[in-house]
Amino acid sequence: GAEVFSVLPDLSSNLADYFEKIDRSEKVDSSDDETYYVEVLTELGKNDALADGMLFGDNGYDNPGHGGIGNHDVVEVTKPVVMSIWGQFYARKRSDGKVPLSCDTDPSIDDPACEFISGANNLENPWYSFFDDSRDMSVVQSKNEVSQTCWSDGNNPWEVVMNQGMVCTFEPGVLMLAGVGLWRATKGPLQEEDGENICEDGTDWDHPQKVVKPDVYQYLIANGSYDANPNSCYVCNIGDKVDVNDVYDDYETKCKPVNFASAGQAANSNVFTL
């Protein structure tokens, strides 16, 4: 499916401050035919969240309306950049088999029953956003217009909870796949007053969820936050907060720093860089 999609246009000035596009034909090594482009796609394909071609949509690129990524390029981080992601990263496991309960992310609270969670839908989630794209937005606006992410109430074991936000600072050399998010059919647009379950898959395609700004990209990182340096990721509960600035301003003092070791893997253990 990758060959179906075109490359991105030249990066806007704000993105060009942090990223540089890597030509799809650029080789990893002069003695090897493999390109960075192919290697990044290969690494991403190892992530459970992108298995079986889900990079280009839940049901593959030829079944539209199920998300995924469209036109894209590999980009290299050229100076430290802050990226954000919605999900559940710090929680308490439940004995009933349902999804864990999110824990308080106040850094002064240390609950021994709480832990950082590894996995494709948690710390290893590959889908990130450029944090500045969400500046001055509500959380719902950010989900609609930037990350294309839905909530869940966590009452079923197969659901993915999206009630925490995480910011990570990625250093120069990290490679990402940047691209335009494809639309997803939903039962309606996200609404402020709906609280949890504000987005639900359905067959009513009158209100497709979509990115409304052409230069807002999705960024896929092969190993998720494990590509960040230790002490460079912070988790905050979003709960009833509706202002993204309120969620993340001064996050280094009011949010929980991620302890990668407690999640069973050290940061930078498999960093994918130039």
Side-chain angles (χ1 to χ4, degrees), residues 42-89:
T42 300
E43 288 298 310
L44 286 171
K46 296 176 183 178
N47 190 298
D48 291 342
L50 302 174
D52 301 321
M54 289 194 298
L55 172 62
F56 302 106
D58 294 349
N59 297 321
Y61 71 92
D62 54 352
N63 288 283
H66 297 280
I69 200 167
N71 294 346
H72 59 271
D73 267 312
V74 170
V75 297
E76 177 195 2
V77 176
T78 55
K79 75 176 185 180
V81 60
V82 178
M83 310 293 284
S84 59
I85 186 172
W86 305 112
Q88 186 186 48
F89 313 99

Side-chain angles (χ1 to χ4, degrees), residues 87-126:
Q88 186 186 48
F89 313 99
Y90 184 62
R92 180 185 299 108
K93 292 182 179 179
R94 295 199 283 191
S95 59
D96 58 9
K98 295 181 180 179
V99 294
L101 296 171
S102 296
C103 291
D104 195 319
T105 55
D106 184 328
S108 66
I109 298 175
D110 189 13
D111 186 339
C114 299
E115 60 184 314
F116 289 98
I117 308 173
S118 61
N121 293 315
N122 310 106
L123 289 180
E124 294 169 85
N125 191 326

Side-chain angles (χ1 to χ4, degrees), residues 126-147:
W127 295 92
Y128 277 78
S129 299
F130 182 50
F131 176 60
D132 282 351
D133 284 338
S134 295
R135 287 285 184 188
D136 302 320
M137 288 184 176
S138 71
V139 169
V140 170
Q141 285 177 312
S142 176
K143 286 172 173 291
N144 260 329
E145 301 177 27
V146 178
S147 63

